[in-house]
Each structure stands twice: as structure tokens, then as C-alpha cells.
Amino acid sequence: MRGRLPYGDALRAALGAPGRARRLESSPRSRVWRVELAGGPAVLKQLVAGPGARDRYDREVTALRLAGRRATGPVVPALLGTDPDELVLVLEHLEHGRPGPEWIVPYAAALARLHACAPEDPGALPRWRGPGAADIAAFLGFAERLGAAVPAGAEGEMGALVERLGAAVPDALLHGDPCPGNDLHTPAGIRFVDFEQACVGSGLAELAYLRIGFPTCACVTSAAGPLRARAEEAYRAVWRAERGEDVPEGLADACAGWVLRGDALVPKARRDSGDQLARAARRDWTWGTTTARARLAHRLEVLASLGAEHPELSGLGELAARMRSRMHDRWPRLAPVPSVRP
């Protein structure tokens, strides 16, 4: 069964008989092949059956169709065919080149184009879910384990932050996991793939990745301030061109929300499986390009600087500064997160 190409009669009728097929590397949740069709090479992806597979398939197909209708240029591979019974989709094959040193600038512009493809039907995709009361409790518990005193008002600021994030207008098509590796740098521009976690929400939730260090991703990077500023401006310029309006305020809130989410320290398969901040207080672990504690220290540093600029986050920013200081006192060998994409 593992070797069988899931290319049934419906796909044969729509796309013709397949030629040579070669298995490609993929996550444990999917099987992927490069397959030769009459019109050229294509990518065939089958989601592995199991809990949540149908939901992930429906999200991916919906997002690809929404983004594929853009009038001002593609941001995803063309969706050539689907077989819902087999959880299969067939995509245009695109050649991926090595990203340049300033890759986050065109990445941010492409992300804005993707976000501008919000569905007219708000129920077409699930809504993005931000942090909640359990995340606040876990964050405060981590502060206590570090011995970091909580400033007056910080807990209230976290509650207000969660409310603001929950009330944000879902005006963007979110990738759900816009990580290095889910962006193909092609000669014709950047295309995003792997939309199994696609949802609708505020685009700020994913613009924040540039500052926070790609929180849901194995590949964490932290760009230098001037380069990141150029990337954020590229995002804002494209959003204005696509939507005819400025990006809304709230980037600091979006960054702070990711700091509270302990589940953003582990891969998707391990989320919702316990208090990851409490686990990080006991021991460190490596995921991708860095460790859980290094991720946390980086995010806390970002939040500390934002708190100094945003009065509504001042107490939380001070708490982040104290927590980061205590982390470096306790674990002095903590390394900064990488600045270069591998």
C-alpha cells in the first residue's frame, strides 16, 4: 500500500494517465510524489488517513482555491486536480531555488498577497485561535519557577491582550504555518505550500513571525533590525496596494500573543499535550535549528522591547525582561537563535 500511487479514475479522466512517479520527502502526515503528466511534471500529495486528516485536506484545498483566484499574480502552485475520497490533490510542480540572504523581504511581500485573499464566506475556514486563560496561567507559572516577580498590572494586561486578540477582525487568509520550507523561492516569485492548517484571522498573527522568530516552525531565524523593518514595510506596501487601506494596528499585540503560547515550543503533533512552559523549566530540548529555552529567551527579549514602546503592554514587557534575565542567570550558556536561514 505504501508504494501504490493513489491516482484513481477521476484523476485519470481529468489529467490523463500518469507517467513516471518518484516519492519525495514529506511530513509523517502526508505522502508526496513527483509525477509526470502529459502537461509536464506535477506534485501529487495524499494526506495520511487518521484523526483530523479530512479537516486538514479540506483546509488545504479551500486555501489553494482561494489563493488561486488572485487576479494580480499567483502566490500558490496551481491546483490541477483533487480526489476527496483518497485525500489526494495534484499541484503544479515548481522549482525551488536557494533563498538569498535578504529572503524575508520578498517573503513578507508574498505573505501580504496571500493574506489579501480572505474568503467572502467567513465560515469557509476555521478562525485563527489565539492564547487563552490557560496560556496566561502557564506563563505566570513559568515566571514563578524562574523566580521573576510579576509587576502590578501585568496579569490584567495579559487578560486584556487575550480579549483584543480574540476580537480582531478575521480579514486575512492565514497560511497557519508559514515557515521556511513552506515557501518555494521560484524564478517567478515566492509560492506557499502545505496549507493543512489554513484559517482566517488577522494578518498580523503571521506578520509577527518576522519579529518573534517563526514560532510554529522548526527553522527559527531572527533577522537584523533594519532588514526586518524593510520586510515589514514590504508587507505593508503590498497590503495597501491589494486592499486600498493601511495594515491595522496591533503588531505588538500579535507578538505578545505568541510569547504566551507555550505550545509554540513543540511541533504540531505535540501541541495540546500539556504545559510546555513547565516542561521547559525542568529541561531543555532541541527542535529544528534551536532549543525551546533559546526560543523563549528570544521571544521574551522582543516582548520586553515592545513593552517599552506600548503602554498597554508595559507591565507585561517588564515581566518579560525579568524572566529573560532570570533565564540567563539560571542557564548562562543559552545561545541566541540563528540569524541565517539554513
Side-chain angles (χ1 to χ4, degrees), residues 61-139:
V61 170
T62 298
L64 287 167
R65 286 174 172 162
L66 285 168
R69 291 203 291 263
R70 288 190 71 259
T72 56
V75 287
V76 296
L79 180 62
L80 305 177
T82 62
D83 184 346
D85 293 336
E86 293 286 340
L87 301 181
V88 165
L89 47 98
V90 182
L91 300 166
E92 169 192 17
H93 179 270
L94 297 170
E95 292 293 340
H96 171 59
R98 183 170 180 81
E102 299 186 347
W103 65 273
I104 67 165
V105 178
Y107 166 94
L111 191 66
R113 284 191 286 273
L114 174 68
H115 287 169
C117 304
E120 295 180 3
D121 176 9
L125 287 165
R127 183 163 178 164
W128 179 82
R129 180 172 63 88
D135 296 291
I136 293 175
F139 190 76

Side-chain angles (χ1 to χ4, degrees), residues 149-334:
V150 179
E155 187 171 354
E157 288 178 7
M158 284 186 269
L161 167 68
V162 166
E163 290 185 8
R164 290 195 300 272
L165 291 173
V169 177
D171 60 350
L173 169 61
L174 301 185
H175 182 283
D177 196 27
C179 300
N182 287 339
D183 56 336
L184 301 181
H185 291 247
T186 80
I190 293 176
R191 306 290 184 266
F192 290 99
V193 295
D194 290 342
F195 284 85
E196 298 170 29
Q197 300 176 54
C199 53
V200 292
S202 167
L204 297 173
E206 293 185 342
L207 178 58
Y209 275 50
L210 303 183
R211 294 197 185 200
I212 290 297
F214 297 85
T216 63
C217 311
C219 182
V220 172
T221 60
S222 173
L227 179 59
R228 191 203 67 237
R230 285 176 51 206
E232 290 180 356
E233 181 49 42
Y235 180 99
R236 295 178 187 279
V238 170
W239 181 269
R240 283 193 297 268
E242 295 277 341
R243 288 293 188 89
E245 60 186 17
D246 288 337
V247 172
E249 298 295 324
L251 181 56
D253 278 355
C255 291
W258 283 115
V259 181
L260 297 186
R261 294 179 66 172
D263 264 1
L265 297 174
V266 293
K268 171 65 175 175
R270 298 195 62 179
R271 293 172 197 159
D272 298 318
S273 63
D275 185 343
Q276 302 299 337
L277 290 172
R279 180 177 167 226
R282 295 190 299 269
R283 68 177 184 87
D284 204 3
W285 64 89
T286 298
W287 172 33
T289 58
T290 191
T291 70
R293 288 174 181 166
R295 290 168 185 262
L296 271 172
H298 172 72
R299 295 172 196 174
L300 290 168
E301 181 177 8
V302 172
L303 179 53
S305 65
L306 289 171
E309 302 167 5
H310 298 271
E312 69 277 11
L313 298 173
S314 59
L316 180 53
E318 177 59 29
L319 175 58
R322 294 176 185 179
M323 292 170 70
R324 180 179 177 276
S325 177
R326 293 292 294 165
M327 286 184 71
H328 280 275
D329 288 344
R330 182 175 295 192
W331 304 300
R333 299 180 67 181
L334 275 177

